[in-house]
Amino acid sequence: MTDLSRRKLVKTGLAATAGIAGLGAAARAAQSFGLVPPDHGGIWGLGETATYASQRLLTRHSLAREFPRSRISARPLANEMPPPSEAFTKLEAGGFADWRLAVDGMVDRPGAFSLVQLKSYPSRSQITQLACEEGWSYIAEWIGVPLSHLLEVAGIRPEARYVVYSSIDPTWWDSIDMADALHPQTLLVHGINGGGLPVGNGGPLRMRVPRQLGYKSVKFITRLTVTDSLKGFGKGLGSSAAETGYAWYVGI
Ligand SMILES: Nc1nc2c(c(=O)[nH]1)N[C@H]1C(S)=C(S)[C@@H](COP(=O)(O)O)O[C@H]1N2
Ligand SMILES: [Mo]
């Protein structure tokens, strides 16, 4: 089934469960269960809410598909780009020894983690597909620390609802809800296909959210902020992508 037809089906299903009142009632139901995405207000608002709420209700515990080694793409399709800034070039010249991942917000033990520290935590490796919204994709083995582990180390507070993550490039930031943040396949990736993570693929550290489209997998991650509301971040829509018209929630 194509993604589009599946989405249509899921949407129709949610409308059907809401009865003849349709999507309006579904959206109200979603609101009472706390399933309204931060970018629900736009033209596509009703649809975004229906997609997010229905996927959360139906697929909360599902896993992204994992592939056998034989399916790893010959060349991981790095969406190549020049080093994003002078600050990045400097850190790269130092072998990223001074790279830090700041963790703050609703945690008991905020801190700044080096790559050496992050690599000392238990790592998980999984072979999943990165799918760009433009239609291309590649399969790779991703190696990293489960985000849930780092959140545990930092002592996440019970009122936490979202994790906001930002890149060394200020134009790229995003967020996920706790269902994705604590999901076993959501990783802070520092390796790919048995080796380190090249800059082209987001090295030295990138977020990997395999249950959503590629743009949620932000590269060059330098900060995680745990929060109960996305209102104070940018325009309050949950991501830089949402501010330029893309959906905040893009489950696949
Ligand atoms: N910091 C940063 N992260 C980013 C992007 C970017 O331009 N900058 N592009 C996103 C998009 S649109 C996609 S599809 C994937 C591409 O990942 P790749 O370069 O490993 O192919 O990275 C995502 N993360
Ligand atoms: Mo993309």
Side-chain angles (χ1 to χ4, degrees), residues 79 132-134 136 214-215:
N79 206 352
C132 172
E133 77 293 350
E134 290 169 351
W136 53 269
Y215 64 78

Side-chain angles (χ1 to χ4, degrees), residues 176-201:
I176 46 180
D177 66 9
M178 294 317 292
D180 266 333
L182 300 177
H183 190 276
Q185 290 176 313
T186 300
L187 305 182
L188 283 163
V189 161
H190 50 66
I192 187 172
N193 296 339
L197 186 66
V199 169
N201 293 100

Side-chain angles (χ1 to χ4, degrees), residues 65-238:
R65 180 172 175 198
E66 296 194 22
F67 297 84
R69 238 157 236 292
S70 58
R71 294 287 308 277
I72 290 177
S73 307
R75 201 178 69 84
L77 255 169
N79 206 352
E80 299 285 356
M81 55 171 77
S85 64
E86 214 172 286
F88 185 92
T89 312
K90 239 172 136 180
L91 287 160
E92 188 180 17
F96 296 119
D98 292 330
W99 190 274
R100 291 293 178 276
L101 176 70
V103 180
D104 56 24
M106 292 180 161
V107 291
D108 291 332
R109 295 173 291 279
F113 297 79
S114 68
L115 295 168
V116 173
Q117 255 173 310
L118 292 172
K119 286 176 186 171
S120 76
Y121 294 138
S123 79
R124 179 181 161 127
S125 123
Q126 66 205 17
I127 300 168
T128 57
Q129 183 172 46
L130 185 144
C132 172
E133 77 293 350
E134 290 169 351
W136 53 269
S137 68
Y138 67 93
I139 294 171
E141 177 200 25
W142 304 93
I143 306 154
V145 195
L147 176 59
S148 63
H149 181 81
L150 193 70
L151 294 174
E152 207 176 290
V153 168
I156 189 165
R157 301 213 186 116
E159 61 271 32
R161 287 196 61 198
Y162 304 97
V163 175
V164 180
Y165 42 101
S166 48
S167 135
I168 195 166
D169 166 5
T171 61
W172 275 90
W173 62 277
D174 215 307
S175 64
I176 46 180
D177 66 9
M178 294 317 292
D180 266 333
L182 300 177
H183 190 276
Q185 290 176 313
T186 300
L187 305 182
L188 283 163
V189 161
H190 50 66
I192 187 172
N193 296 339
L197 186 66
V199 169
N201 293 100
L205 192 67
R206 99 182 279 177
M207 184 65 78
R208 183 74 187 109
V209 187
R211 296 199 309 173
Q212 296 203 45
L213 283 181
Y215 64 78
K216 298 295 281 191
S217 292
V218 173
K219 306 167 166 193
F220 326 117
I221 291 289
T222 53
R223 177 176 294 267
L224 299 180
T225 303
V226 179
T227 180
D228 63 349
S229 167
L230 295 168
K231 288 211 174 75
F233 299 86
K235 295 180 183 164
L237 302 178

Side-chain angles (χ1 to χ4, degrees), residues 5-31:
S5 65
R6 188 178 64 178
R7 235 178 243 189
K8 219 163 133 192
L9 197 83
V10 163
K11 231 182 251 187
T12 317
L14 189 75
T17 57
I20 48 163
L23 282 175
R28 279 193 297 278
Q31 183 145 33

